Each structure stands twice: as structure tokens, then as C-alpha cells.
Amino acid sequence: MLGVIRILCLMLVSLLLDRARGSHNASQRTFEIDYKHDHFLKDGQPFRYISGSIHYFRIPRFYWKDRLLKMKMAGLNAIQIYVPWNFHEPQPGQYQFSEDHDVQHFIQLAHELSLLVVLRPGPYICAEWEMGGLPAWLLQNKSIVLRSSDPDYLAAVDKWLGVILPKMKPLLYQNGGPIITVQVENEYGSYFTCDYDYLRFLQKRFRYHLGNNVVLFTTDGAQKKMLQCGTLQGLYATVDFGPGVNITSAFLTQREYEPKGPLVNSEFYTGWLDHWGQPHSTVTTEAVVSSLHDILAHGANVNLYMFIGGTNFAYWNGANIPYQAQPTSYDYDAPLSEAGDLTKKYFAVRDVIQKFQKVPEGPIPPSTPKFAYGKVALKKLKTVEESLNILCPNGPVKSLYPLTFIQVKQYFGFVLYRTTLPQDCSNPTPLSSPLSGVHDRAYVSVDGVPQGILDRSNVITLNITGKAGATLDLLVENMGRVNYGHYINDYKGLISNLTLNSSILTDWMIFPLDTENAVRHLEGWPGNDSRCHGKACAHESSNYTLPAFYAGNFSIPSGIPDLPQDTFINFPGWTKVRCGLMALTLVAIGQHKAPR
């Protein structure tokens, strides 16, 4: 027994010594700015990072390691990540940090692959993400001034920073983790408030939670007017710009605010964002690698935004003003495609990097295999109007005038607004949103007969027909909140009154629709015999049909190794589709129209 005790004691002493050595090693790790020689110092040695942006929230957790390894094999020594507040706190005080939300695990994966991390925790991130990462529930306070020293905004920000930053502190480089620098806010010089008290508040809170040794920085466009409002003493000022910009001039702009220290382009654009209904944006490989080479030849640090874009799952896409929503795809024409596939641009970027530093040897993980599962026949289940008892089990909210999504506690998706026609509309009668108050897209029907679409940008008047007393329905879709600029306080739904023949419509029933929960219980949904095969759904007597739920099953073939595999879904002839996958059932809520 005594021998056992001795062994246990020796083991305990050994463990304590190992921990002490680890603590000692962590305390020796430093990352700082060498202002005298204009570069970073990592553990006392000159260091330059070449990083790439990757958004863990746009990539399934299953693929995180694959994407990170491909980035490492391209020659990157760091990654840059945003942390979207709304992704982790969808409701006040309700936090999500597991599964696809496990940002700490993602950072640890990067650490295991010897990738450093440039952290951008906001609270605002832009990123072509819903409301720039700010939670929609902030808008419950109508008078709130976002991204300012408004007391209500600061109180919410302070609470959030008190949750996220302590999670990040153990992952700082000096604490043994991979995080070398931390950005405060994001491109603040592009916002109208220009509130230095707000920046000072953030600086103090970041220092309080992270300590005085971490390098804090800001990022703004390489223009004096942007750096003027986006920078603050004590926060290292960096710039962002893409291919084709005069590199010398851009870095001279940074030098006006940081006369000494490393040159940093925090967002070198490898591609560009898309808008719904517009062609896919591309930037030539030649333009990207030419500018990248010149940036590196200047001795600058650079982050490639994006290195992989990924996908806007669920309702997380953002939008720009004049209102244009971003689509589900966030491919960005990046070196790694939306699906994580290797591209010509990937290898060209790698070739440039290896001219300036050594790239890892060994095989590059291949593009993920894909499989064509064939056509899926979709069975129409019910229209949205026929499904209200399932979608809104608690019944409607009644109001004299329309209420916004926020007012009925519906942040995403769809809300159905219902009233009755107060007059006979046997002849086409104008239904109007005179103040462009449809945010963002409304599918209009009278007694179940489709009338057309209103939207906030292009169609604010629609002629409808129907008898007095007929049911007027507007299914309003939130297509994504504005993520950049003055108008990020983007309220959804009918945000102003509608008129019929210039008379204000009143007495509304408002149905917040829980589509996510309803779709999970499709087994109980009765369907009809209408099936859609390919473009067959698009040939209807009317240009538009009512939005409805459709479902179809497909099989994974047996006898083929490595299945299931990734695939792509195409809806030829359809106008707009929200699609989900449950087990082997493809579920779509959508609308189709005759091809034009």
C-alpha cells in the first residue's frame, strides 16, 4: 500500500512540474509591435503574418479542420475570424457556444495546426452578415443609436463583451493560445456617428477583459476621412484595400496615423460579395496575385479577405442600401470555393506566398467529393395560408395598424399580415406602400388568389382585384437586415401603413410564422397529389403561385463507397426558395413563376 502511495505522489509531483513548465513557457510567449523597426515581434523575433479570412459560422463544423488545413498548406501562417454577436446571443441572455457555434473549439483547431489567429470580435462586424452581427433584439428600443455611446446600447455591449472576451482570454498568444491581435469594432470610420467616447469605452472594456499586453487594432478603408473617425490613440490603426489600388498611396494613408510600426492590410479583397438576382461577382486571379505580390514586396502584413467564403445558412445573410439582399452563397470568388474546393486562384496565391516564405510540404487535402443524387420530385403539402394553425399555433396579434417583426417578437423569416378589403375592387385598384414600408418583400393574395409582389426597392404599388369583405393577405419576408452604413437599424415587416385607393388600411391580424419548428413536424402534414418535376412546376396559368411548402424524398445508393457525399441543389424555373434537409427529405418553402 505504501508503494502505491509513493507512486501516486511521484505522479502528482510530475504533473505539477509539467504544469509549472507549461505556465512558464506561456509566460515567455510575447507578441508586440516594434515601432523602431516597423514590424511585429513574436517571442522577440521579427514576424510578419500572411493570413486569410474564414468564417466558422458559414462552414459546418464537420469541415472546419479540412478548410483550416487547406489554408495552412497554401502557406498562410495565420487566419482571421469575426465573432458575430447575434449568432451567439439570438435572444437576450440566451447564449449558444456548442456545435456549429463553438468558436473556442474552432480556435483550438487552428492552434493544433499551428495557425495563429487575428480575432475580430466586434461588437459590429459587417461581414455581409445579418445586421452586421448586431442582434435584432436591440431594435426593441426604438430610440437606440447603434454603434455609439448611447447608454442602452453600451449596456448591451458591455454585457456581451463580458461573456465573449473572457472566453477568448485563455486563447491569447501570451497565455499559450494562438490569438496574436484583437480588433476593436470594425471599419468604424465608415459609420456616421464618429463617437470617440464609444471607441474609448470599447478600448477600456477590451483592456479590462483581455489585459494590457494584447495588441489591439482598428481597421478602416485607406482614406483619410475613414481613418479620422475610425482610429483612437492606443489602438493600432490598419487599413484595407483590394486589387488595383495604389499600394504605396494606401500605406502612406496608414502612415499618417501610424508613422511607425508594421504596415498592415487587414482586408485584401480576393473577390467580392454578391447580391440576390445579380450575376456572381468575380475578380481575376491575375489581378489578385499581382497586388498580393506587391503588398508582400512592401514588407507588409496582409490578410486575404476572403480565403474561403462559405454559406449564409438559415436567415443570416445581410443586405446593402439601396436595398439589395445578399444571397445564400458567400462564395466571394475566394481561393477556396464556397464548397471548400481548390481553385486556380488558390494555387496562384500559394505560388506568390512561397516567393516570400516557406510553404508547408506534403499533400494538399483534395476538394471534397460530390455526388449527383438525381431529380427529386417535390410534393406540394400546403400553402402558407393553409398552414397558419401549424405555423402560428398561438394565433394572430390584432392591431389597428401594422406592427413590425420586432413588435411581434419575430426576428427572422416570415410574417403574414391579414385584413379585409373595405371596398369593392372589381376593377384593378392600387394597393400601395407610399413610404416604401414593405421590408422587404410581400406576396399579395386576395381570397387565396395571387395578385403579385410588393417590395421595398422597386414595386411599391400593385393593382389588385376582389370584392368588398374579401381577405387580403400579405406574406412579408425578411430578406436580410442591412449590414453596412447608416441604415443598419433595419426594421422588418410592414413598417408603415398601406393604402388601398389612397385610403389607409386598418384592422390587421398579424401572424408570426415559426417555419423552422413547423418544418420539423412534416410527418403530420397532409399533402395533395400535385408533384413538381424539374421545370414542370413553372408552367402555370398565372405568372405567380402562392408560396407553399413542398417536400420530396431521395435515396442514397447502396454499394457505392464513401456515401453520403456533398451535392448541389438547383430549382430551375422557381423564383425564390427557402430550402432545408431533414434526414433524406428535401423541404422547400417557395414560389414559382413562368420563365421569362
Side-chain angles (χ1 to χ4, degrees), residues 129-414:
W129 187 257
E130 155 82 16
M131 205 167 146
L134 299 178
W137 48 260
L138 290 172
L139 300 179
Q140 291 174 359
N141 179 348
K142 287 186 177 181
S143 64
I144 196 167
V145 182
L146 303 173
R147 303 178 70 191
S148 79
S149 53
D150 177 296
D152 293 327
Y153 177 69
L154 291 187
V157 167
D158 196 25
K159 185 178 179 182
W160 164 241
L161 295 180
V163 172
I164 187 60
L165 294 184
K167 292 179 181 293
M168 298 296 102
K169 186 174 182 179
L171 298 169
L172 296 177
Y173 185 79
Q174 57 267 35
N175 294 333
I179 299 174
I180 52 174
T181 61
V182 180
Q183 180 179 283
V184 176
E185 244 279 346
N186 184 65
E187 296 183 326
Y188 188 62
S190 303
Y191 197 57
F192 75 96
T193 46
C194 194
D195 187 340
Y196 294 111
D197 287 338
Y198 169 52
L199 288 181
R200 278 188 281 268
F201 168 85
L202 292 179
Q203 182 184 36
K204 289 178 181 177
R205 301 315 291 162
F206 274 62
R207 287 290 178 212
Y208 175 81
H209 290 295
L210 300 179
N212 293 322
N213 295 327
V214 64
V215 175
L216 300 181
F217 73 100
T218 61
T219 300
D220 285 286
Q223 300 178 34
K224 295 178 184 178
K225 63 180 181 180
M226 294 181 177
L227 285 156
Q228 182 179 353
C229 287
T231 58
L232 188 71
Q233 186 175 1
L235 305 176
Y236 191 76
T238 74
V239 293
D240 55 30
F241 57 88
V245 170
N246 186 311
I247 295 169
T248 301
S249 175
F251 283 135
L252 283 175
T253 303
Q254 182 191 1
R255 279 285 176 247
E256 291 191 32
Y257 288 84
E258 295 292 354
K260 301 295 290 180
L263 298 174
V264 182
N265 182 348
S266 291
E267 290 186 7
F268 171 66
Y269 304 111
T270 63
W272 199 243
L273 58 97
D274 290 332
H275 290 121
W276 187 71
Q278 301 297 318
H280 176 48
S281 296
T282 59
V283 175
T284 67
T285 296
E286 292 73 20
V288 170
V289 297
S290 175
S291 290
L292 176 61
H293 181 280
D294 291 347
I295 289 170
L296 295 176
H298 274 73
N301 299 263
V302 63
N303 173 71
L304 283 72
Y305 188 101
M306 299 291 298
F307 201 88
I308 174 172
T311 303
N312 294 312
F313 295 105
Y315 300 107
W316 288 116
N317 64 284
N320 283 311
I321 290 291
Y323 190 82
Q324 290 181 290
Q326 284 117 28
T328 300
S329 173
Y330 195 64
D331 179 83
Y332 214 84
D333 194 31
L336 289 173
S337 74
E338 177 183 7
D341 293 342
L342 305 169
T343 68
K344 170 187 172 184
K345 191 175 288 185
Y346 174 93
F347 290 102
V349 166
R350 188 174 188 268
D351 288 342
V352 171
I353 292 173
Q354 69 181 354
K355 294 178 181 178
F356 294 89
Q357 64 184 34
K358 186 177 179 180
V359 301
E361 297 178 356
I364 300 171
S367 298
T368 54
K370 314 295 187 299
F371 189 82
Y373 295 95
K375 293 183 178 179
V376 179
L378 295 182
K379 178 181 180 181
K380 183 177 179 180
L381 301 177
K382 286 185 175 185
T383 65
V384 172
E385 286 82 355
E386 292 168 342
S387 312
L388 290 180
N389 62 322
I390 302 171
L391 296 167
C392 187
N394 294 327
V397 176
K398 297 181 180 180
S399 177
L400 182 63
Y401 299 110
L403 302 175
T404 66
F405 276 38
I406 293 294
Q407 289 173 306
V408 297
K409 300 292 193 296
Q410 176 90 4
Y411 301 133
F412 305 103
F414 300 83

